[in-house]
Amino acid sequence: MRQDSFRQRTKDPALATTSMAAGLHSAPAPRPATWAARHYRLLFEYAPDGYLATDVSGTIREANRAAAILVRAPPGGLVGRTLASFVCDEERRAFRAELHRLKRTRPRGTKEWVVRLRPAGAEPFEAALTVSFLAERLGDGTGLLWSLRDVTRRRRVEEKLKQSERRYRSLYAEVLRHRDALRILSTRSLYAREEEAKRIAHELHDEAGQITAAIHLALAEIEPELLPSGRERLRRIGVLIEGVEERLRQLSHELRPTILDDLGLIPALAFLANGFSARTQVAVAVKGSTGGRLDPLIETALYRIVQEALANVGKHARAARAEITLAREDGKLVCAIRDDGVGFSDRPARRGVGRPAGLGLLGIRERLGALNGQMQILSTPGEGTELRVSVPLRQR
């Protein structure tokens, strides 16, 4: 009777608070135990989450206002009903089975799971139930304490996040597939270009060489028939043709150096460095070792990268010396091209802003991308520049 009277007084939070204040100031001080009971009863009744007390079979013994509001029941209308009666039909059997398992095993701590509840005359909602066992049953048979919270919005947000994650993973996998396809296409393109360059180089060396040799023979045949002045002019023509032959040999070697195919990367780079030094008067040293022959694609790519780097040294660095080093490091071949030229500030390049985007560097990135390699440019004004590339090793 006193409990019902208290519930009537505490239906209105303001009235409940006023009653408590009046009791504190005008009425005689209650006994500590009575005051504590009222205090915790008020906390239970007006808690923001739904709270239930049931017996071990799930029959509700007590419920607060938040729980009644969630299931659209009048205050006090939950007592005597089973919690399972509010569970949606399709989940009720599983809920009862779980409740029976809890009754049998009596686990320590709390157990939480999500079920769909159907309030009276309303749409079902997803609720997070947290249950814990009392160490001892109360006199009215209460053995389980429940908290009840509507998590429909949270579940929707979680589902959207999961959908976003699935979409992101799908897009990422697609990007990886496209990247791999692009790498394969780039490798095939580079291979085709090298094969075409080899074919042109052989034609320049063989066919053009045969033509110039035939011209030399023709000139030698007509030389006896000419006057001394004509013979002198014929010799000057022969010198010009020899210059053409030399230039054709250079072009043939630049297109596809046979020394690279025959002897490998280090001798080919030494030959390239000697030719560069002869043309530019920049002393170039080649150091290090590849540890044996490499995959032809790697050898060709590194040769072309060094070739382009030396071309940049000759055009922009104003250097007196340059150095090419090769070494194996952690399953990769690392090649560094350094010069002692004017250098430049590499801070914008490190931030990804103002990075040089000439055709030479684009070509280097393309070759490295096809081999899953990496490139780094280090430079300081007045102290020279270093181009450092690394390529995963594949033995020949």
PDB file of all heavy atoms in Angstrom, residues 56-71:
ATOM      1  N   VAL A  56      13.646 -16.187 -12.602  1.00  0.00           N
ATOM      2  CA  VAL A  56      14.567 -16.873 -13.508  1.00  0.00           C
ATOM      3  C   VAL A  56      13.868 -17.374 -14.765  1.00  0.00           C
ATOM      4  O   VAL A  56      14.530 -17.738 -15.738  1.00  0.00           O
ATOM      5  CB  VAL A  56      15.261 -18.051 -12.787  1.00  0.00           C
ATOM      6  CG1 VAL A  56      16.196 -17.527 -11.706  1.00  0.00           C
ATOM      7  CG2 VAL A  56      14.231 -19.003 -12.196  1.00  0.00           C
ATOM      8  N   SER A  57      12.527 -17.364 -14.775  1.00  0.00           N
ATOM      9  CA  SER A  57      11.785 -17.773 -15.967  1.00  0.00           C
ATOM     10  C   SER A  57      11.441 -16.591 -16.856  1.00  0.00           C
ATOM     11  O   SER A  57      10.844 -16.770 -17.920  1.00  0.00           O
ATOM     12  CB  SER A  57      10.498 -18.508 -15.565  1.00  0.00           C
ATOM     13  OG  SER A  57      10.796 -19.688 -14.841  1.00  0.00           O
ATOM     14  N   GLY A  58      11.763 -15.394 -16.433  1.00  0.00           N
ATOM     15  CA  GLY A  58      11.527 -14.211 -17.241  1.00  0.00           C
ATOM     16  C   GLY A  58      10.226 -13.505 -16.957  1.00  0.00           C
ATOM     17  O   GLY A  58       9.849 -12.589 -17.699  1.00  0.00           O
ATOM     18  N   THR A  59       9.522 -13.861 -15.893  1.00  0.00           N
ATOM     19  CA  THR A  59       8.288 -13.157 -15.530  1.00  0.00           C
ATOM     20  C   THR A  59       8.656 -11.869 -14.791  1.00  0.00           C
ATOM     21  O   THR A  59       9.449 -11.879 -13.843  1.00  0.00           O
ATOM     22  CB  THR A  59       7.412 -14.033 -14.627  1.00  0.00           C
ATOM     23  OG1 THR A  59       7.096 -15.246 -15.323  1.00  0.00           O
ATOM     24  CG2 THR A  59       6.120 -13.312 -14.273  1.00  0.00           C
ATOM     25  N   ILE A  60       8.092 -10.769 -15.252  1.00  0.00           N
ATOM     26  CA  ILE A  60       8.466  -9.451 -14.745  1.00  0.00           C
ATOM     27  C   ILE A  60       7.882  -9.242 -13.353  1.00  0.00           C
ATOM     28  O   ILE A  60       6.675  -9.389 -13.135  1.00  0.00           O
ATOM     29  CB  ILE A  60       7.981  -8.347 -15.709  1.00  0.00           C
ATOM     30  CG1 ILE A  60       8.630  -8.541 -17.090  1.00  0.00           C
ATOM     31  CG2 ILE A  60       8.297  -6.960 -15.151  1.00  0.00           C
ATOM     32  CD1 ILE A  60       8.087  -7.622 -18.157  1.00  0.00           C
ATOM     33  N   ARG A  61       8.753  -8.889 -12.406  1.00  0.00           N
ATOM     34  CA  ARG A  61       8.336  -8.584 -11.041  1.00  0.00           C
ATOM     35  C   ARG A  61       8.281  -7.079 -10.792  1.00  0.00           C
ATOM     36  O   ARG A  61       7.509  -6.621  -9.958  1.00  0.00           O
ATOM     37  CB  ARG A  61       9.309  -9.219 -10.042  1.00  0.00           C
ATOM     38  CG  ARG A  61       9.403 -10.722 -10.127  1.00  0.00           C
ATOM     39  CD  ARG A  61       8.092 -11.382  -9.787  1.00  0.00           C
ATOM     40  NE  ARG A  61       8.208 -12.838  -9.732  1.00  0.00           N
ATOM     41  CZ  ARG A  61       7.173 -13.649  -9.526  1.00  0.00           C
ATOM     42  NH1 ARG A  61       5.961 -13.143  -9.355  1.00  0.00           N
ATOM     43  NH2 ARG A  61       7.355 -14.953  -9.502  1.00  0.00           N
ATOM     44  N   GLU A  62       9.127  -6.357 -11.532  1.00  0.00           N
ATOM     45  CA  GLU A  62       9.161  -4.914 -11.336  1.00  0.00           C
ATOM     46  C   GLU A  62       9.758  -4.269 -12.588  1.00  0.00           C
ATOM     47  O   GLU A  62      10.620  -4.855 -13.250  1.00  0.00           O
ATOM     48  CB  GLU A  62       9.988  -4.552 -10.104  1.00  0.00           C
ATOM     49  CG  GLU A  62       9.750  -3.147  -9.620  1.00  0.00           C
ATOM     50  CD  GLU A  62      10.269  -2.934  -8.204  1.00  0.00           C
ATOM     51  OE1 GLU A  62      10.875  -3.886  -7.656  1.00  0.00           O
ATOM     52  OE2 GLU A  62      10.079  -1.845  -7.664  1.00  0.00           O
ATOM     53  N   ALA A  63       9.283  -3.063 -12.912  1.00  0.00           N
ATOM     54  CA  ALA A  63       9.769  -2.350 -14.096  1.00  0.00           C
ATOM     55  C   ALA A  63       9.723  -0.858 -13.834  1.00  0.00           C
ATOM     56  O   ALA A  63       8.840  -0.365 -13.126  1.00  0.00           O
ATOM     57  CB  ALA A  63       8.922  -2.703 -15.315  1.00  0.00           C
ATOM     58  N   ASN A  64      10.674  -0.125 -14.393  1.00  0.00           N
ATOM     59  CA  ASN A  64      10.650   1.322 -14.220  1.00  0.00           C
ATOM     60  C   ASN A  64       9.907   1.984 -15.381  1.00  0.00           C
ATOM     61  O   ASN A  64       9.447   1.336 -16.319  1.00  0.00           O
ATOM     62  CB  ASN A  64      12.069   1.871 -14.057  1.00  0.00           C
ATOM     63  CG  ASN A  64      12.864   1.804 -15.349  1.00  0.00           C
ATOM     64  OD1 ASN A  64      12.458   1.161 -16.312  1.00  0.00           O
ATOM     65  ND2 ASN A  64      14.008   2.482 -15.367  1.00  0.00           N
ATOM     66  N   ARG A  65       9.790   3.301 -15.297  1.00  0.00           N
ATOM     67  CA  ARG A  65       9.022   4.048 -16.294  1.00  0.00           C
ATOM     68  C   ARG A  65       9.614   3.914 -17.695  1.00  0.00           C
ATOM     69  O   ARG A  65       8.877   3.777 -18.676  1.00  0.00           O
ATOM     70  CB  ARG A  65       8.987   5.528 -15.902  1.00  0.00           C
ATOM     71  CG  ARG A  65       8.106   5.826 -14.717  1.00  0.00           C
ATOM     72  CD  ARG A  65       8.296   7.257 -14.233  1.00  0.00           C
ATOM     73  NE  ARG A  65       7.298   7.572 -13.210  1.00  0.00           N
ATOM     74  CZ  ARG A  65       6.178   8.257 -13.461  1.00  0.00           C
ATOM     75  NH1 ARG A  65       5.940   8.685 -14.684  1.00  0.00           N
ATOM     76  NH2 ARG A  65       5.310   8.512 -12.499  1.00  0.00           N
ATOM     77  N   ALA A  66      10.950   3.981 -17.818  1.00  0.00           N
ATOM     78  CA  ALA A  66      11.580   3.913 -19.146  1.00  0.00           C
ATOM     79  C   ALA A  66      11.261   2.597 -19.824  1.00  0.00           C
ATOM     80  O   ALA A  66      11.000   2.547 -21.038  1.00  0.00           O
ATOM     81  CB  ALA A  66      13.089   4.104 -19.025  1.00  0.00           C
ATOM     82  N   ALA A  67      11.234   1.504 -19.074  1.00  0.00           N
ATOM     83  CA  ALA A  67      10.904   0.205 -19.657  1.00  0.00           C
ATOM     84  C   ALA A  67       9.466   0.177 -20.139  1.00  0.00           C
ATOM     85  O   ALA A  67       9.157  -0.338 -21.220  1.00  0.00           O
ATOM     86  CB  ALA A  67      11.143  -0.903 -18.631  1.00  0.00           C
ATOM     87  N   ALA A  68       8.545   0.747 -19.340  1.00  0.00           N
ATOM     88  CA  ALA A  68       7.137   0.796 -19.747  1.00  0.00           C
ATOM     89  C   ALA A  68       6.951   1.634 -21.005  1.00  0.00           C
ATOM     90  O   ALA A  68       6.179   1.289 -21.907  1.00  0.00           O
ATOM     91  CB  ALA A  68       6.290   1.341 -18.601  1.00  0.00           C
ATOM     92  N   ILE A  69       7.678   2.747 -21.113  1.00  0.00           N
ATOM     93  CA  ILE A  69       7.568   3.606 -22.293  1.00  0.00           C
ATOM     94  C   ILE A  69       8.080   2.893 -23.541  1.00  0.00           C
ATOM     95  O   ILE A  69       7.491   2.979 -24.616  1.00  0.00           O
ATOM     96  CB  ILE A  69       8.330   4.922 -22.053  1.00  0.00           C
ATOM     97  CG1 ILE A  69       7.617   5.756 -20.991  1.00  0.00           C
ATOM     98  CG2 ILE A  69       8.469   5.717 -23.347  1.00  0.00           C
ATOM     99  CD1 ILE A  69       8.389   6.973 -20.535  1.00  0.00           C
ATOM    100  N   LEU A  70       9.196   2.150 -23.412  1.00  0.00           N
ATOM    101  CA  LEU A  70       9.769   1.464 -24.568  1.00  0.00           C
ATOM    102  C   LEU A  70       8.809   0.449 -25.174  1.00  0.00           C
ATOM    103  O   LEU A  70       8.720   0.307 -26.391  1.00  0.00           O
ATOM    104  CB  LEU A  70      11.079   0.781 -24.177  1.00  0.00           C
ATOM    105  CG  LEU A  70      12.308   1.687 -24.028  1.00  0.00           C
ATOM    106  CD1 LEU A  70      13.484   0.896 -23.494  1.00  0.00           C
ATOM    107  CD2 LEU A  70      12.665   2.323 -25.363  1.00  0.00           C
ATOM    108  N   VAL A  71       8.059  -0.280 -24.329  1.00  0.00           N
ATOM    109  CA  VAL A  71       7.158  -1.311 -24.843  1.00  0.00           C
ATOM    110  C   VAL A  71       5.704  -0.841 -24.880  1.00  0.00           C
ATOM    111  O   VAL A  71       4.782  -1.646 -25.034  1.00  0.00           O
ATOM    112  CB  VAL A  71       7.287  -2.608 -24.004  1.00  0.00           C
ATOM    113  CG1 VAL A  71       8.685  -3.185 -24.136  1.00  0.00           C
ATOM    114  CG2 VAL A  71       6.946  -2.349 -22.540  1.00  0.00           C
TER     115      VAL A  71
END
